[in-house]
Amino acid sequence: MKYSPPLDGMRAIAILAVLVFHTWPGAMRGGFTGVDVFFVLSGYLITSVILHDVQAGRFRMREFYLRRIQRLMPNALLAVLATMLLSWLLLLPSAATQVAEHGLWTVFQASNFWIRSHVGGYWGEQAGSVPLLHTWSLAVEEQFYLLFPWVLVMLVRRRRAAPALAVALLASLALGVYSTAVHPVAAFYLLPMRGWELLLGAVLALEVMSLDNARSGELITQPVWRECLGWAGLGGMLAGFVFIRDDAGFPGMVALLPALGALAVIAATAGGRGSLARLLGTSFLVETGRRSYALYLWHWPLIVIGREFADLVGWPVVLGAMGGLAASIAMAVLVYRLVELPLRQRGPGRPRRLGVIAALVVATVVAGAVLVRMDVHADARALFEPMTFSGQVYNLSADAARRQTGVASRFSDVEFASAPPLRGWPWRDGGLVHAWGPGAPRVVVFGSSHALMYAATIDSLCRERALPVAFLTVDGAAALTSTLRRDGGACFPAHGMLQDFVETRRVSMRAWQPDVVLVIDRWDRYQPEPRHFAAALEEFTQEFGPSTRALVYVSQVPVVRVGERSNLREIAAWYHRLTGNFPELSADSRQGFRDSTVALFAEQARVHPGVQLLALDDLFRDASGGVKYVEGREFLYLDDDHLTQAGAWSARSRFAAVLDASTGPSRPRPSVTPLRSAGATRPVVRVTRRDPSTFAGEDE
């Protein structure tokens, strides 16, 4: 088949857009649509090759697949193998294991299925740290190549190719538009929803090959129309690169812009005539396009690994990304010349070349299988004391929410206290009450998972002082009432539960009239609405202040800038093995808002005599202003924002001081004017006695 240089120029434009997007996302937000250009171009070229050989009477399915293997597999296998080995050398063990597992799926052309199950959306938080994320598109193409030749040859022989492909195209497009609305992750990654882009190129190839001027490769012979169509198509491609956003319902109908633009450019330039064809045929674009496959394979893994390694060792992340990009360009040029070109030859020595490819398959699979079984203990060298967490004992949400905590990979080395199963929803009966002393609860704890992490420490202090304590603590539930009314989610899965919980808190407080209420939450969750936070805080004070002697707001600990999914112990142990020291870790970008909440709590304490601020954040800051996450052999953080039992225990003396000052018999009750009238019945309370040292007991 006649070679068309402008099509390599198209490849160059598409790969450059992808490179810019992956290195500087803000510079070209829609650069990822270069993949859509590749899809249309691949559909056109693969169909043209098959039809050309069918018309010449020399098409053989075996030969077709051998050529695909020689063309695509050597570079891809080498890239996957190098990515797995570099991840093992430079990244955390858990990350290297995940890369190896993903690599095995990639070898067998199923990367898109693995990504959909393990990573989720292309723009999700986790996606940016997956070195083989880009192989989803290769899997889509290979799955297309596996099925399409058989169907095309059958349809061509029965002279039904054009209508059948058109129907399949429209069905795939309709499915893609529908799935974008209801199943967006599947719509992005799976062949049935993206196949229409490949079929778009296939239909064009079928039309070109059916014309009498097929030898010239031209569909449009009129120069004026060819020029208009070509430049309009290029404009559509570029508009997709610049204007499409990740939140624009992609792919859906939006993907038509780059796809139809690519189709127009192919139709106008494949014959090699016209000003646009001359532009795309310039030597720089053609040579870049010839190496576009190698550039696509190597750029993303090395950018991600460079970025992740730089972040681990404290270097600028941009420096790591730029270093990865430079290395990927060098590797692409080198591997194209030394591996891709030699192994794709079809002349004498072909069995030997196929043997080399088979050896690469075996080496990649063996390396992946070994790395998948690698020891990934976060603290394999026993640098820290065993880490424990008892918060789930006090979690009054559904059992499923508690089970999920123990299986997350970042908690793989944490010992979770086992709690007896709760019957029903205990908060409907007034919460979880530990009657360490007579009478109604004198201490009440409100809050989310940040209250759960202190719950065992508070419970232990109340037991020592014979103070009955009640926990109205639900993982994921916001503490402030006005926000809680809008924040249901998984913690309150059934209709009406959220309103029941709000009412239970109100009724219980007015019935118990406790000495002290501790309000503990992840306060930076309110950052999207900072101007409403002060009003919500005042409303909460007005509602619950009259029912207690002391309403205590507890400040939030710093959040470590490592991401919610990261295993903090693994990072510390990895860095210690590399340097002999623990890394200096800083707080994330929301620390300014957390500091402002402390000022608001202090203002509440100044205005309302019964309100107190319990500041704990300073306990977890080191001398340089970073986050103090380890003390001796004790690891203080469970993940990026929760404390281990040892971390919570370090705040014991401050909680004790608040309890001792607030539970004395002569302490006067504060005067806070309520916003609502107080008239409520006393709730029925389930009293559960548990020994906090064992966290095992039974209802009485």
Side-chain angles (χ1 to χ4, degrees), residues 322-343:
M322 293 299 297
L325 177 63
S328 69
I329 294 173
M331 285 298 299
V333 171
L334 189 66
V335 174
Y336 173 77
R337 179 178 295 275
L338 300 181
V339 177
E340 186 176 324
L341 285 180
L343 291 181

Side-chain angles (χ1 to χ4, degrees), residues 274-319:
S275 59
L276 181 58
R278 289 192 295 273
L279 173 65
L280 295 178
T282 56
S283 58
F284 170 76
L285 290 178
V286 170
E287 292 303 315
T288 302
R290 287 175 175 172
R291 293 158 179 79
S292 61
Y293 180 61
L295 286 167
Y296 186 79
L297 284 169
W298 288 92
H299 82 283
W300 180 246
L302 296 187
I303 287 174
V304 171
I305 292 172
R307 193 169 57 200
E308 295 291 308
F309 180 77
D311 195 34
L312 285 170
V313 299
W315 297 346
V317 173
V318 174
L319 180 63

Side-chain angles (χ1 to χ4, degrees), residues 682-693:
R682 181 181 178 87
V684 178
V685 178
R686 171 182 296 170
V687 179
T688 303
R689 301 183 188 274
R690 288 183 183 153
D691 182 348
S693 65

Side-chain angles (χ1 to χ4, degrees), residues 1-2 44 52 55 205 207-218:
M1 195 178 79
K2 183 181 177 181
Y44 173 79
H52 186 273
Q55 290 179 358
E207 182 66 21
V208 170
M209 296 297 292
S210 67
L211 298 177
D212 292 336
N213 60 346
R215 290 185 179 180
S216 69
E218 289 185 333

Side-chain angles (χ1 to χ4, degrees), residues 73-84 132 134 297-298 301 335:
M73 289 194 70
N75 209 333
L77 290 168
L78 198 59
V80 171
L81 181 60
T83 300
M84 292 192 298
L132 294 174
H134 66 317
L297 284 169
W298 288 92
V335 174

Side-chain angles (χ1 to χ4, degrees), residues 32 116 120 189 304 364 379 452 456 461 466 488 541 678:
F32 63 90
R116 182 195 175 198
Y189 290 125
V304 171
T364 306
D379 188 19
L452 297 177
L461 290 168
T541 300

Side-chain angles (χ1 to χ4, degrees), residues 116 126 235 264 422 652 692:
R116 182 195 175 198
Q126 188 181 358
L422 298 172
R652 176 182 170 86

